Amino acid sequence: MTSFLWRVCPAFVLLLIPSIVAAQESSLLEGWHEVWVFRFLVNVLGYSTIIIPGYFLISYFKRTNYLETGSGICFPIIKTCVFGSEAKTGLLDDAPIAPRNEQDSGSSVRQVVKLVFCAAGLQVSYLTWGVLQERVMTRSYGAMTPEDEGEKFKDSQFLVFMNRILALTVSGLWCILFKQPRHGAPMYKYSFASLSNIMSSWCQYEALKYISFPTQVLAKASKVIPVMLMGKIVSHKSYEYWEYFTAVLISVGVSMFLLSSTPSKHPSTVTTFSGVVILIGYIVFDSFTSNWQDNLFKYKMSSVQMMFGVNLFSCLFTVGSLLEQGAFFDSVAFMSRHSEFAFHAVLLSVCSACGQLFIFYTISQFGAAVFTIIMTLRQAIAILLSCFLYGHAVTLVGGFGVAVVFLALFLRVYARNRMKTGRRLAQPVGQKV
């Protein structure tokens, strides 16, 4: 009997080895999937399966001089995507904007109503968006009792896709319903801003797993510091004394807030090294997006056309990556299991799309200075709202640091507006502005 067992047991163990190894591999893969660097690299790999073939196709069409030799049904599509009209106009929008004053724009009451409408639209859109963003990324769904942990949604890329698909729909309808300038930019050039835009949005969502929402808002408000440093080092730009002063105030205020912050009762909201790295990634990608879009505006296009082009490629990149990972149907299954999450995801996308339209309208009616003041107020209210709804503890020193940051931001807006007014008054009366 003993000899029989000695013969059977090794064979039985050998039969179990494949299943044991498979289980270990599955556990290891699941563990790696929890690491944000791994998820980031997998997303980039998914985007590369679209970017690399596209690069070779574009290179082929340009190398073979397809614009002169091509013909057939696909010619107009290839011409639009690869070549465009290749004519830069230097205009930032579809038409010059008339001076904004009360005589041209209507009565004072009408202007006040417009301003209240714009401010309310921006505040409601982005405050709701901020609250929902934190709710989706830091809280669980499906918990029936306080002891039940529920299920957390983890795929930031799916939320980016949801936002972009609705923004694409809204901007597409806008372009159809309202007359737009003739489009001239090659479509593929939107892909650069699109890729950096979805990466910055992914970092924005992903960072909330490692830092608190107030910390994220303050970090976004202090983007001026790395922008000034890069401008000084790379472009040798010179800045006014008030720009240095406000940058120092911002850095002091952010430092006071971060150093005085106390750990939250939710482990996911504790500021960590990973959160700081992801925020730096957000700032880098977001800075590239704005600079590339400035370059694209050299072509004659409207802001809504820019919105459509960027979101078109964003949808292509994200849905391709999600399908390759198998995460798309997992996220849809999560939505079907949790109707509350489905409502939050859709409302999040609606707020994001409406917010972009309010941005364009506000800047066209009142200018960038008024828009900046409204959005700065929104950031301050967002921090207070987050602390109230989600119980983030802010000490007296931390609160003072927040006040210093927003004081510095308002000083920047005021000083820049004064400087622009001074330059206009210094111009000769007969000079055409």
Side-chain angles (χ1 to χ4, degrees), residues 140-298:
S140 59
Y141 289 90
M144 305 302 295
T145 62
E147 293 78 16
D148 188 7
E149 293 185 359
E151 188 179 6
K152 281 188 177 181
F153 184 75
K154 299 179 180 180
D155 200 331
S156 302
Q157 187 175 211
F158 183 77
L159 293 176
V160 176
F161 167 73
M162 288 283 292
N163 288 350
R164 298 303 177 265
I165 193 68
L166 188 61
L168 176 68
T169 305
V170 171
S171 57
L173 289 174
W174 189 281
C175 290
I176 293 171
L177 296 175
F178 300 97
K179 185 179 179 181
Q180 302 294 320
R182 183 178 178 181
H183 189 266
M187 288 297 294
Y188 81 90
K189 290 194 174 183
Y190 290 107
S191 63
F192 297 93
S194 173
L195 183 62
S196 59
N197 178 255
I198 58 179
M199 295 310 299
S200 68
S201 297
W202 183 88
C203 289
Q204 191 174 9
Y205 283 113
E206 198 72 15
L208 287 175
K209 298 177 182 179
Y210 305 96
I211 61 173
S212 66
F213 183 77
T215 303
Q216 187 192 74
V217 173
L218 278 187
K220 290 163 65 177
S222 61
K223 280 195 302 183
V224 63
I225 300 171
V227 168
M228 286 181 64
L229 288 174
M230 291 299 293
K232 191 72 175 176
I233 296 171
V234 177
S235 305
H236 303 289
K237 289 184 178 180
S238 59
Y239 296 96
E240 300 291 334
Y241 72 91
W242 55 267
E243 293 181 284
Y244 288 109
F245 175 68
T246 53
V248 170
L249 278 182
I250 289 172
S251 61
V252 170
V254 172
S255 300
M256 290 173 64
F257 177 81
L258 294 179
L259 294 175
S260 65
S261 296
T262 56
S264 170
K265 62 183 179 179
H266 300 288
S268 60
T269 59
V270 178
T271 301
T272 63
F273 177 74
S274 292
V276 173
V277 172
I278 296 173
L279 271 183
I280 292 173
Y282 162 77
I283 292 172
V284 170
F285 288 123
D286 191 60
S287 300
F288 177 85
T289 302
S290 58
N291 280 284
W292 190 267
Q293 286 178 327
D294 286 342
N295 183 58
L296 278 179
F297 272 124
K298 293 177 182 177

Side-chain angles (χ1 to χ4, degrees), residues 26 54 69 80 108 115 137 188 201 209 231 240 266 279 292 296 304 325 333 339 366 377 406 418:
S26 176
T69 61
T80 302
S108 299
L115 181 59
M137 296 308 299
Y188 81 90
S201 297
K209 298 177 182 179
E240 300 291 334
H266 300 288
L279 271 183
W292 190 267
L296 278 179
V304 181
Q325 297 176 38
S339 57
F366 300 100
L377 281 173
F406 288 104
R418 284 290 300 270

Side-chain angles (χ1 to χ4, degrees), residues 98-106:
R100 289 181 292 269
N101 52 51
E102 293 179 359
Q103 287 76 19
D104 293 337
S105 301

Side-chain angles (χ1 to χ4, degrees), residues 91-98 179-181 300-303 364:
L91 297 178
L92 295 183
D93 217 315
D94 49 339
I97 298 175
K179 185 179 179 181
Q180 302 294 320
K300 187 178 181 181
M301 68 173 68
S302 67
S303 300
S364 68

